[in-house]
């Protein structure tokens, strides 16, 4: 079944019979301030796209990675990982049975550990691949089966919860013991202090069970979700595997060109951090004022407001053509950020519902 995400404006507009262009759409966590599209050389459109060493250099520097590889949005890799991990497990079984040149299928029950609340595409991908799903939330899983996989969304979308590097290092060690794959989704990590990211803690040793992949989304912080590029940061072996699996031309030339410029543009990144932080502070204050009974949690790309009557508030905002994301659990609303002009519009809408 298709997962319901934010960004479904046409569906909501139809439901409330308000023309699409009259809505204030705060339903996603994509920055409202986008990186300016540079002039794109004709060659970027004309040639088959190649991953240049200068792009890899820029990405390694930005993510502080020893090894990374671009993908067509981190979503592309989320969908591919079950197959890649199954291949690795089958290879392990073949080696154990000493069967050369022929694959032995791993027939054991396969286990995936995921946050109960979190970007649902992870759950869907592992469930489709036949994995038995186990859920955790506040505490990272402490008992995991051999050969399993663990997904951590850090910070969580939509809850905003975070785990520390030391918690993740312990989990990584445990995953190694259990020969498990650790996937850390840092789609919303750009705006944090650099120390937040797990990427610099990936050690590229040849240890057989060094299986950790950090997913980085480009579109959110740079406000260019339509460009469809993201990065996998991992060991050299995993980056090679990912490179082979996505094939030669998955990411279009203009996307590669834009990402290379944006990842190197330190000044813009610093300014973007400032803009997002200021806007988040203003909106948090607004939400606390108009929804005093709510618990307001934020990261710099969205604000999640936990409310007993979240569906009713969602409904009232929709009636005023303000579209936010009602969580699947119906206990919170996620507000993406907006610019100063539209903040007034949000304020007016909130004022009428209290
Ligand atoms: C937590 C999380 N991870 C990954 C993605 C996929 O983003 P993208 O494919 O644009 O990198 C999303 C999209 O909303 C997300 O919320």
């Amino acid at each position: 079944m298709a997962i319901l995400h934010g960004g479904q404006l046409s569906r909501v507009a139809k439901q409330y019979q308000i023309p699409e262009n009259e809505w204030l759409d705060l339903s996603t966590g994509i920055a409202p301030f986008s990186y300016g599209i540079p002039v794109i050389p004709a060659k970027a459109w004309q040639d088959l796209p190649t991953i240049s060493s200068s792009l890899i250099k820029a990405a390694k520097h930005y993510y502080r990675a020893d090894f990374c590889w671009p993908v067509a949005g981190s979503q592309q890799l989320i969908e591919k990982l079950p197959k890649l991990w199954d291949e690795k497990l089958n290879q392990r079984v073949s080696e154990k049975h000493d069967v050369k040149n022929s694959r032995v299928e791993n027939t054991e029950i396969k286990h995936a550990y995921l946050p109960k609340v979190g970007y649902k595409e992870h759950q869907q991908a592992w469930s489709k691949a036949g994995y038995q799903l186990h859920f955790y939330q506040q505490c990272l899983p402490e008992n995991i089966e051999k050969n399993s996989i663990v997904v951590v969304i850090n910070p969580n979308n939509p809850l905003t919860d975070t785990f520390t590097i030391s918690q993740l290092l312990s989990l990584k060690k445990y995953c190694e013991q259990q020969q498990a794959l650790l996937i850390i989704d840092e789609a919303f990590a750009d705006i944090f202090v650099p120390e937040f990211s797990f990427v610099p803690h990936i050690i590229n040793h040849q240890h057989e069970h060094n299986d950790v992949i950090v997913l980085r989304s480009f579109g959110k912080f740079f406000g260019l979700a339509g460009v469809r590029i993201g990065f996998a940061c991992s060991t050299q072996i995993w980056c090679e595997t990912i490179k082979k699996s996505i094939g030669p031309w998955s990411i279009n030339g203009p996307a590669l060109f834009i990402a290379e410029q944006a990842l190197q543009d330190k000044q813009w990144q610093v300014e973007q951090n400032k803009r997002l932080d200021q806007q988040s502070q203003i909106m948090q204050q607004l939400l606390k004022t108009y929804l005093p009974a709510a618990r307001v949690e934020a990261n710099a790309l969205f604000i999640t407001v936990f409310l007993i009557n979240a569906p009713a508030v969602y409904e009232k905002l929709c009636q005023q053509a303000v579209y936010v994301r009602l969580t699947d659990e119906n206990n919170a609303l996620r507000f993406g950020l907006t610019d100063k002009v539209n903040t007034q519009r949000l304020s007016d809408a909130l004022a009428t519902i209290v």
Side-chain angles (χ1 to χ4, degrees):
M1 204 174 71
I3 295 168
L4 193 62
H5 293 289
Q8 314 265 324
L9 184 57
S10 50
R11 186 184 58 80
V12 177
K14 213 186 235 165
Q15 186 185 347
Y16 288 87
Q17 298 184 352
I18 304 173
E20 268 186 53
N21 59 3
E22 291 180 19
W23 285 77
L24 172 59
D25 184 357
L26 305 179
S27 68
T28 73
I30 299 159
F33 319 109
S34 308
Y35 186 73
I37 306 287
V39 176
I40 297 178
K43 274 181 85 53
W45 298 102
Q46 291 161 344
D47 294 352
L48 282 169
T50 47
I51 312 294
S52 65
S53 55
S54 53
L55 171 68
I56 297 295
K57 190 171 165 210
K60 279 185 181 176
H61 184 74
Y62 180 79
Y63 294 117
R64 297 184 306 141
D66 286 340
F67 294 94
C68 63
W69 197 254
V71 288
S74 53
Q75 176 62 29
Q76 185 190 30
L77 195 52
I78 290 172
E79 289 169 35
K80 279 189 184 291
L81 279 174
K83 184 165 175 282
L84 299 184
W85 183 240
D86 278 351
E87 282 170 5
K88 176 145 190 181
L89 292 185
N90 291 341
Q91 191 187 331
R92 271 189 203 160
V93 175
S94 301
E95 281 164 10
K96 206 164 98 192
H97 292 276
D98 202 19
V99 186
K100 301 248 160 46
N101 303 325
S102 71
R103 283 284 163 89
V104 175
E105 284 284 316
N106 171 41
T107 51
E108 286 168 15
I109 296 175
K110 304 179 287 184
H111 300 269
Y113 299 81
L114 305 121
K116 181 154 179 38
V117 180
Y119 186 58
K120 289 271 186 310
E121 295 284 347
H122 290 285
Q123 289 184 23
Q124 173 144 302
W126 294 99
S127 156
K128 258 193 197 164
Y131 279 68
Q132 189 170 319
L133 306 188
H134 306 264
F135 296 111
Y136 69 88
Q137 200 67 69
Q138 267 94 15
C139 301
L140 290 168
E142 283 175 352
N143 288 305
I144 61 172
E145 297 284 340
K146 270 225 149 45
N147 298 327
S148 55
I149 73 98
V150 182
V151 174
V152 181
I153 303 174
N154 205 33
N156 184 286
N157 169 24
L159 298 183
T160 75
D161 297 351
T162 56
F163 292 104
T164 63
I165 292 295
S166 105
Q167 286 173 306
L168 293 170
L169 283 171
S170 306
L171 178 63
K172 165 75 175 75
K173 207 163 154 200
Y174 184 40
C175 284
E176 257 177 52
Q177 281 164 15
Q178 295 301 90
Q179 306 179 5
L181 168 65
L182 175 59
I183 300 156
I184 305 177
D185 179 343
E186 294 189 353
F188 290 96
D190 295 55
I191 35 73
F192 280 82
V193 281
E195 293 71 38
F196 179 82
S197 174
F198 193 78
V199 174
H201 300 274
I202 299 172
I203 298 165
N204 186 49
H205 58 66
Q206 295 297 317
H207 186 306
E208 198 194 338
H209 302 302
N210 186 18
D211 297 309
V212 57
I213 300 172
V214 177
L215 308 178
R216 300 294 303 237
S217 181
F218 174 82
K220 299 182 181 4
F221 176 73
F222 290 94
L224 294 173
V227 162
R228 306 312 303 144
I229 187 167
F231 289 83
C233 302
S234 187
T235 59
Q236 187 173 12
I237 293 180
W238 265 109
C239 286
E240 289 293 332
T241 305
I242 291 163
K243 176 178 171 179
K244 271 191 218 134
S245 101
I246 68 159
W249 306 307
S250 276
I251 311 152
N252 66 78
L256 295 169
F257 182 80
I258 294 165
E260 186 173 333
Q261 310 291 308
L263 292 171
Q264 292 180 97
D265 197 340
K266 183 84 190 145
Q267 193 186 338
W268 186 90
Q269 294 158 17
V270 171
E271 284 162 11
Q272 177 77 334
N273 257 320
K274 250 193 249 159
R275 276 188 293 265
L276 293 172
D277 187 44
Q278 277 169 2
Q279 206 37 39
S280 178
Q281 298 297 340
I282 292 168
M283 286 179 64
Q284 284 180 60
Q285 200 45 54
L286 199 68
L287 290 163
K288 283 178 186 161
T289 305
Y290 286 114
L291 302 168
R295 176 163 64 87
V296 177
E297 304 284 351
N299 68 36
L301 280 166
F302 59 82
I303 303 168
T304 303
V305 173
F306 295 84
L307 278 166
I308 299 172
N309 60 341
V313 175
Y314 172 79
E315 182 69 32
K316 286 182 184 165
L317 286 172
C318 280
Q319 283 162 4
Q320 296 181 77
V322 175
Y323 173 32
V324 299
R325 172 82 160 91
L326 175 64
T327 59
D328 296 336
E329 294 67 35
N330 280 335
N331 64 347
L333 300 173
R334 188 189 66 191
F335 290 74
L337 301 183
T338 185
D339 57 19
K340 287 215 169 82
V341 176
N342 282 316
T343 306
Q344 186 56 48
R345 178 148 171 221
L346 174 65
S347 175
D348 294 344
L350 287 166
T352 65
I353 65 171
V354 287

